[in-house]
Amino acid sequence: MNEFRTLLENFWICKDTDKETYYKVKRDLPNFQKFVREQLGWKLVHTENLLKLEKRPAHAEAFMGIGEFMEIRDYCILCAVLMYLEDKEEQEQFLLSELIDYVEAQLKSYVSIDWTSFTQRKSLVRVLQYMEKLQMIRVYEGRSEAFGSEASQEVLYENTGYSKYFATSFPTGVSIFESWGDFEKTDFEEFEENRGALRVNRVYRQLAVCPSMYWESSEDPDSLYLKNQRQWVSKYINDNMGGNLDLYKNMACISLDGDDCYGSVHPRDAMLPEIVLLVCGRIQEEVSEGNLEKQENECIYMTRERISDMILSCRGEWSSGWSKEYREMDEDLLVERVLEYMKTWLMIRSDGTQITVFPSVGRTAGVYPEDFKGGTGE
């Protein structure tokens, strides 16, 4: 298998910290450059010290945020720090006190900044630790997390120069954009002369970075392309990424063989995915028994209350197979954890009290042996 997967799994590859992987991927670039350019329509950043695949999605999804970040403020601070580093030379050192003064000055018109607040200091710490992880900055003296405990803590950093490759570039100015939807339009506004190429890019991007791809109508142009070009799409996906293209009436996805997995997969060997498999099995039972009905678009609609009852019913029936954490978890928290996982994997969409169950819920199910029923075994 080529090294395209390595680029998919990593934000970027830095030569100074992982020289072997850098050169391995660099040597293999000719084998998948055409796939990246023509099918995905992505930009490949290739410098003397860094390799990065700009993985711009077809559509924005909630799970695509930075996992370490907890508030909108985190993203605002990240943007301010990136601006600060723009004016720094590679290997130039700077103090945390200088940085926080700059961040405060840049953001005061947009968000409230108060470094005496523990919550806001933790927000900055999350950003700094994320940037350390991606090697945009290096700690020369001190510790970033110390600022979370005390605002007077000083840290000396070094700019690596990688931050200038963090943000993606757009063909037009983004200052007039009002929502995330404007960014999608920038990539996919369908001008007559390149409508076909944009459709190809949308389909491949959705399959490459999302758990699944859905469409409401049989006349959906992206689904028609996928169905008409199924053989080629399947070949290109398998040759470059591995896995098999699974195509259904209203959805498509890539499935991986058990001994050839990479990235985040579902299901995996953990308690929460196991619980979700049981919930999927319960939904399938309800459909087969006529208690739930698939609509024309293969989706199922139910209230949040009903799916919550199903989750809690699974725990009541199969608790002996669950870990102590999930057996004893507060009911509301358990429901929230399960629904959040299912949303992340595009199995459901939540609109307040209404839940839309997507067709992928019908692809997998879990069952325990009969002797697992009931009880509270350890």
Side-chain angles (χ1 to χ4, degrees):
M1 178 56 64
N2 63 49
E3 302 306 321
F4 178 69
R5 287 183 175 185
T6 307
L7 284 172
L8 269 183
E9 289 187 277
N10 293 277
F11 186 82
W12 52 30
I13 300 163
C14 305
K15 185 173 77 173
D16 59 346
T17 55
D18 195 352
K19 187 178 291 186
E20 183 181 347
T21 302
Y22 174 88
Y23 281 113
K24 188 185 289 186
V25 174
K26 182 180 177 181
R27 284 193 298 269
D28 202 40
L29 287 179
N31 292 324
F32 56 79
Q33 271 181 317
K34 185 177 179 183
F35 176 70
V36 169
R37 183 177 63 251
E38 296 182 4
Q39 273 70 44
L40 291 164
W42 281 343
K43 181 181 176 183
L44 186 61
V45 178
H46 178 199
T47 75
E48 288 184 5
N49 298 304
L50 179 140
L51 293 171
K52 179 192 175 188
L53 192 60
E54 288 195 346
K55 298 177 275 288
R56 282 157 70 163
H59 305 288
E61 300 288 352
F63 72 84
M64 293 175 179
I66 296 172
E68 292 90 338
F69 287 6
M70 300 173 68
E71 302 176 49
I72 292 174
R73 186 192 298 110
D74 298 3
Y75 291 93
C76 297
I77 292 174
L78 172 64
C79 291
V81 178
L82 289 171
M83 290 166 59
Y84 178 80
L85 294 176
E86 279 285 314
D87 297 326
K88 298 292 177 187
E89 296 294 327
E90 189 174 325
Q91 296 183 324
E92 183 177 346
Q93 295 183 345
F94 60 92
L95 291 169
L96 175 60
S97 54
E98 299 168 359
L99 173 64
I100 61 176
D101 288 345
Y102 179 89
V103 170
E104 185 173 354
Q106 292 297 321
L107 295 183
K108 63 183 178 182
S109 301
Y110 306 99
V111 294
S112 169
I113 295 294
D114 176 11
W115 299 126
T116 64
S117 162
F118 174 75
T119 303
Q120 296 203 20
R121 293 201 307 275
K122 289 298 287 183
S123 189
L124 176 65
V125 168
R126 283 194 293 271
V127 171
L128 294 173
Q129 290 181 325
Y130 174 73
M131 297 184 81
E132 285 176 47
K133 187 181 81 169
L134 287 187
Q135 300 161 62
M136 289 186 272
I137 57 175
R138 291 196 185 99
V139 175
Y140 198 80
E141 189 175 311
R143 295 182 305 117
S144 296
E145 55 267 32
F147 181 70
S149 305
E150 191 179 335
S152 62
Q153 289 291 323
E154 190 63 281
V155 185
L156 181 62
Y157 293 101
E158 182 182 292
N159 175 38
T160 64
Y162 293 144
S163 63
K164 61 187 175 184
Y165 302 107
F166 180 85
T168 186
S169 56
F170 291 89
T172 58
V174 300
S175 58
I176 60 171
F177 286 6
E178 296 180 352
S179 75
W180 56 267
D182 293 326
F183 288 91
E184 287 189 12
K185 290 177 188 174
T186 301
D187 268 356
F188 294 115
E189 286 209 308
E190 298 206 343
F191 301 109
E192 285 297 327
E193 63 267 23
N194 62 355
R195 178 175 294 184
L198 292 174
R199 183 173 301 143
V200 171
N201 293 162
R202 261 201 316 268
V203 169
Y204 278 93
R205 288 185 189 186
Q206 187 72 10
L207 291 170
V209 302
C210 288
S212 51
M213 170 181 170
Y214 296 109
W215 50 90
E216 289 285 330
S217 160
S218 58
E219 298 306 309
D220 177 84
D222 290 359
S223 75
L224 289 174
Y225 167 80
L226 186 55
K227 290 171 182 175
N228 291 335
Q229 301 295 322
R230 176 177 185 169
Q231 182 178 349
W232 286 107
V233 174
S234 181
K235 174 178 168 50
Y236 286 137
I237 290 288
N238 187 265
D239 287 351
N240 292 279
M241 297 172 56
N244 306 300
L245 174 67
D246 293 343
L247 187 57
Y248 301 89
K249 180 182 175 184
N250 282 76
M251 71 162 280
C253 62
I254 297 174
S255 61
L256 300 171
D257 295 330
D259 58 351
D260 189 35
C261 290
Y262 65 98
S264 298
V265 296
H266 171 77
R268 65 183 190 280
D269 188 16
M271 193 71 252
L272 186 54
E274 195 170 298
I275 292 169
V276 170
L277 287 174
L278 292 170
V279 174
C280 289
R282 181 59 54 87
I283 292 172
Q284 293 169 30
E285 286 176 20
E286 293 285 303
V287 171
S288 64
E289 292 170 4
N291 299 322
L292 287 173
E293 184 180 353
K294 284 186 188 177
Q295 303 303 310
E296 183 64 27
N297 61 3
E298 294 289 292
C299 292
I300 301 164
Y301 300 95
M302 69 174 83
T303 63
R304 182 186 173 94
E305 183 180 9
R306 182 159 188 186
I307 198 168
S308 299
D309 287 344
M310 287 184 180
I311 295 167
L312 297 175
S313 171
C314 285
R315 178 161 73 174
E317 188 170 349
W318 304 109
S319 59
S320 61
W322 292 21
S323 66
K324 186 174 187 290
E325 177 190 6
Y326 283 94
R327 279 202 313 273
E328 299 178 358
M329 187 176 287
D330 173 79
E331 289 187 354
D332 290 341
L333 180 58
L334 172 63
V335 169
E336 190 57 42
R337 288 270 185 93
V338 172
L339 294 184
E340 195 58 41
Y341 183 95
M342 295 179 78
K343 278 189 279 187
T344 297
W345 283 92
L346 302 190
M347 296 179 185
I348 62 169
R349 182 176 62 228
S350 177
D351 301 309
T353 58
Q354 186 75 21
I355 299 288
T356 301
V357 180
F358 292 121
S360 60
V361 163
R363 294 189 72 243
T364 55
V367 292
Y368 285 148
E370 280 296 313
D371 57 4
F372 270 53
K373 281 195 175 183
T376 54
E378 293 299 319

